[in-house]
Structures are given as structure tokens and as C-alpha cells.
Amino acid sequence: MNTFSGRPRPTAAVLLALAVAVAVAATATACGSGSGGSGTKAADTGTYTVWDPYPQFTKGSAWTDLLDKCGTEAGVKVKRTAFDTSDLANKTLLAAQQGNSPDLLVVDNPVVSTLAEAGVLTTTEENKLDTSKVDPNLLAAGQSGGKTYGTPIGANTLALYYNKKVLKDAGVDIASVKDWPTLTAALAKVKKAGKKGITFSAIGTEEGSFQFLPWFWGAGAQLTQLDSAQGQSALSLWKDWLKGGYAPNSVLNNTQTTSWQEFATGDYAFAENGTWQLANARKAGFAYGVLPIPGASGGNAPAPTGGEFVTLPVQKDTARYTTSQKLATCLTSTQNLYATDTTLSYVAPTTEVQDKQVAADAELKPWVAAVRTAKGRTSDDLGTKYPKISEQLWKAVQSALSGSTSPKDALTEAQSAAK
């Protein structure tokens, strides 16, 4: 069997299976689309290849300027190629099979464990990348089998946007919303006042699972046991909201984009959505606020993290790791993280930079609070098991909300299928 760096090269069959997992696990919060440039690795040892999922940032942008700067500091030339998020992951698997991986790979966090389990990525123990300043809950998204693969460049997550006027007219004090009962009581007041309650995405894709997870985790449920009483209570909450007219039936087909469009009409009190909608919120034409999603009994519910990891793929020439590590360290330094995460509308992965972000923009405070309690979808060492679990979860949500079956039966079936 061909090997590289002492590891078996992934077979075609493995690549096909992993490509399917990658397609499912790819985050619902991708930064851009399209692709650019060639994926061919430069033979010149003074040139280091970087692949990223940011095709929206072209030559001359802050991101490409940073890559060039880090290359100059490391004494090498950086050859950068941008891909669509799902395309990037599949091309990485292919490049690994051909022994032609990039030196640096910036990749969507749920895909890290998939690539790691395929033997594509080096561990931080091997590549000497320092992750000591990274918040443990964010670093967990890049961990598998007790090992860490790369470091997060930033994170986004979910929270509740709220319309201040709608709540005021309904007599709701946002400070009173602390848990599920008080949130539901607020929705009842809003409906009584003639306005609409809450909109979210419950579509039968990863976006639906992504949006359901804060409620699922906020009830104390675990992805290894979908049909627990806690999981049933979370699905019952959503179902009761639809039944009571607090959420529209359109949530069954809503993407996070169409859900936002509903909130942007100004008729809704709340919308579950992400950090990436901040720019749209600022031009919505009405006063808004942001509230971390409450847990069933209070506190902030863990919300899933989006965002990318900077990783170092396996190389035949292991001497390249030293320079690759310098490039990765430069990209994720405190100074550079602040600039990059501001550009990407991300919350930084370190407390030091998060505090700097809030000092510069007070509107980021609730987002930082949400990220500090956030959780990676592949955390708890789920790794490549997550895509299958997620698929069964979104199917259960669809089944229960459409009235096809009860929350209990839907999740019981999901748990059986996920096994």
C-alpha cells in the first residue's frame, strides 16, 4: 500500500464515502461560493500552497494581503487557491489520495474530523501549532480520538434577534425572557397584540439540524441519544409553537436566508439566526436587539459553531511543517485574528481577541456570550458519526412539525436509524 508520512493513503472507496459525509457535514453558514485558480501544488520549495473557502476575497483584499504578509515574514511565497466550502473538502480528499495536499488548509470545522479520520491532517502535536489560548469549547470542533487537528480562525453561531418595537407594543420586557416558559409567554403576548412570534429554519437539511441544536442541547439532550426525554421536550417546544400560532408553518421550508427575510418584514418579534446577519440587521429599518438562546430552565443554551479551522495536511516532505506552522501561527496571531474576524463577521476563538472586539463594537457582546457557550457539532468525539445523526435529527423535526408523527415517535425512529 502506498503511504505518505507513515500513513495509509485513503482508498477510492474511502474517499467516496467520506465525500458523502463531507457534503452532509458542510456547515449551513458557508462564507462564499464559486472557485478560483488551480489546485496544483507548486513544486518550488520556496512556495507554499494555501487552500481556503473564501472565493469572495480576491487579490488585493485584506485576506489575501494577510496571506502575502505571513508568507513574507516566513520567507516564502504563498500560492493561494479559493474554493466553495463543499468543493474544497472534496478536492482536499482527492489531493490527499494523489499525494498532492496543500501546505495549509482553511476548512469548515465539521469537516475537520472527517479529514482527520481519513489520515489527511497532521495533529498539533506533530506540527507544533500552539492552541493554548483557544477557548476549549471551540477547539473541540477540531478534535477527534483525543487528538487536535488545527486551530479555529474564528466562529459564528446562532442567537435570537428581536424587534424592539414589536415587543414594546406587546408589553414584553426583553429582560423577562430568561428560559423557555418566559419566551413562550412573550410569544403569546405578541400574538395577542396582533403581531407574529418567532421565525426559524426547520428545513430538511443540515440547516434544520443546525437551528434545532440550541433547543436540543438547551434541554440537556445529547446527540448520542436522540430520543431522550430532554430531546422530546425540545421538539415538543417547536411543535407547540406551530400549533399555537407562535411560529409560521413556513419554518418547514425556511432556509436561514428566507427565515431572515420574514423577520426583515418587521412583523416578527423574534428570529433565530446567525452572526452573519448583523450587516442586514443594521439596515433592516427598525430597532433590534440580540439575545443568546435561552436554555430550557435558564442560562444560555449551547449553540452550534460555524467557522473554519486552519489545518496542516500531511506532507511527504515533513520538513515543510516548520514553515507551514509559521504561516498558521501568523494567520491566527492575536493582531491578525482581530482584523480577519472583523472582515469575516466572526467572533474570535480567544478570550483576548473577543474582549478587544467587544471594546470596539458593543453590539458584539451578546454574540461573544453565545460563542463562549457554543459547541461544535462533531464535539463529544462524534467525528464522522455526526452527518448520519444530523440527517435523522432533521427528518424527525420535519416529521413532528408537519404533524406526521409525535415528537416522541419521530425521535424514537431517528435514534433507531442513527444507530
Side-chain angles (χ1 to χ4, degrees), residues 161-234:
Y161 287 89
Y162 60 89
N163 185 316
K164 292 184 176 181
K165 185 177 187 303
V166 170
L167 291 183
K168 183 180 179 181
D169 291 348
V172 175
D173 178 1
I174 192 63
S176 69
V177 179
K178 299 179 180 297
D179 50 26
W180 291 2
T182 52
L183 175 56
T184 301
L187 295 176
K189 285 186 177 181
V190 168
K191 183 189 175 188
K192 188 176 180 180
K195 288 292 186 178
K196 298 175 182 179
I198 186 169
T199 178
F200 48 87
S201 170
I203 195 171
T205 68
E206 176 62 19
E207 286 189 71
S209 292
F210 189 74
Q211 290 237 321
F212 182 61
L213 280 174
W215 312 95
F216 185 80
W217 284 332
Q222 300 294 322
L223 286 170
T224 51
Q225 192 64 44
L226 297 178
D227 58 349
S228 66
Q230 293 91 340
Q232 291 172 35
S233 71

Side-chain angles (χ1 to χ4, degrees), residues 228-313:
S228 66
Q230 293 91 340
Q232 291 172 35
S233 71
L235 189 46
S236 294
L237 177 75
W238 271 20
K239 184 175 178 64
D240 289 346
W241 283 352
L242 263 68
K243 186 178 179 181
Y246 302 152
N249 288 326
S250 59
V251 299
L252 279 160
N253 297 309
N254 268 350
T255 63
Q256 293 180 110
T257 298
T258 57
S259 172
W260 179 262
Q261 290 167 351
E262 288 181 336
F263 180 67
T265 63
D267 292 331
Y268 283 83
F270 295 95
E272 179 183 357
N273 227 297
T275 327
W276 54 92
Q277 297 291 6
L278 263 176
N280 287 329
R282 286 167 177 157
K283 58 186 180 185
F286 54 81
Y288 73 93
V290 177
L291 178 75
I293 297 171
S297 302
N300 296 345
T305 57
E308 291 78 39
F309 266 59
V310 179
T311 65
L312 276 65

Side-chain angles (χ1 to χ4, degrees), residues 52-75:
D52 68 54
Y54 310 133
Q56 71 272 34
F57 297 126
T58 54
K59 191 68 178 174
S61 66
W63 170 246
T64 60
D65 286 349
L66 175 60
L67 288 172
D68 290 340
K69 174 190 170 188
C70 289
T72 299
E73 289 180 4

Side-chain angles (χ1 to χ4, degrees), residues 95-114:
Q97 171 69 6
Q98 297 167 348
N100 196 32
S101 295
D103 292 290
L104 236 65
L105 176 69
V106 184
V107 66
D108 198 18
N109 78 68
V111 181
V112 173
S113 57
T114 299

Side-chain angles (χ1 to χ4, degrees), residues 117-196:
E117 289 181 35
V120 174
L121 304 177
T122 60
T123 67
T124 52
E125 184 179 356
E126 293 169 320
N127 59 45
K128 310 304 179 187
L129 194 56
D130 182 13
T131 60
S132 60
K133 291 185 178 180
V134 179
D135 289 353
N137 65 314
L138 300 181
L139 191 62
Q143 294 174 329
S144 179
K147 297 179 180 179
T148 303
Y149 298 85
T151 187
I153 200 165
N156 55 33
T157 194
L158 297 166
L160 294 179
Y161 287 89
Y162 60 89
N163 185 316
K164 292 184 176 181
K165 185 177 187 303
V166 170
L167 291 183
K168 183 180 179 181
D169 291 348
V172 175
D173 178 1
I174 192 63
S176 69
V177 179
K178 299 179 180 297
D179 50 26
W180 291 2
T182 52
L183 175 56
T184 301
L187 295 176
K189 285 186 177 181
V190 168
K191 183 189 175 188
K192 188 176 180 180
K195 288 292 186 178
K196 298 175 182 179

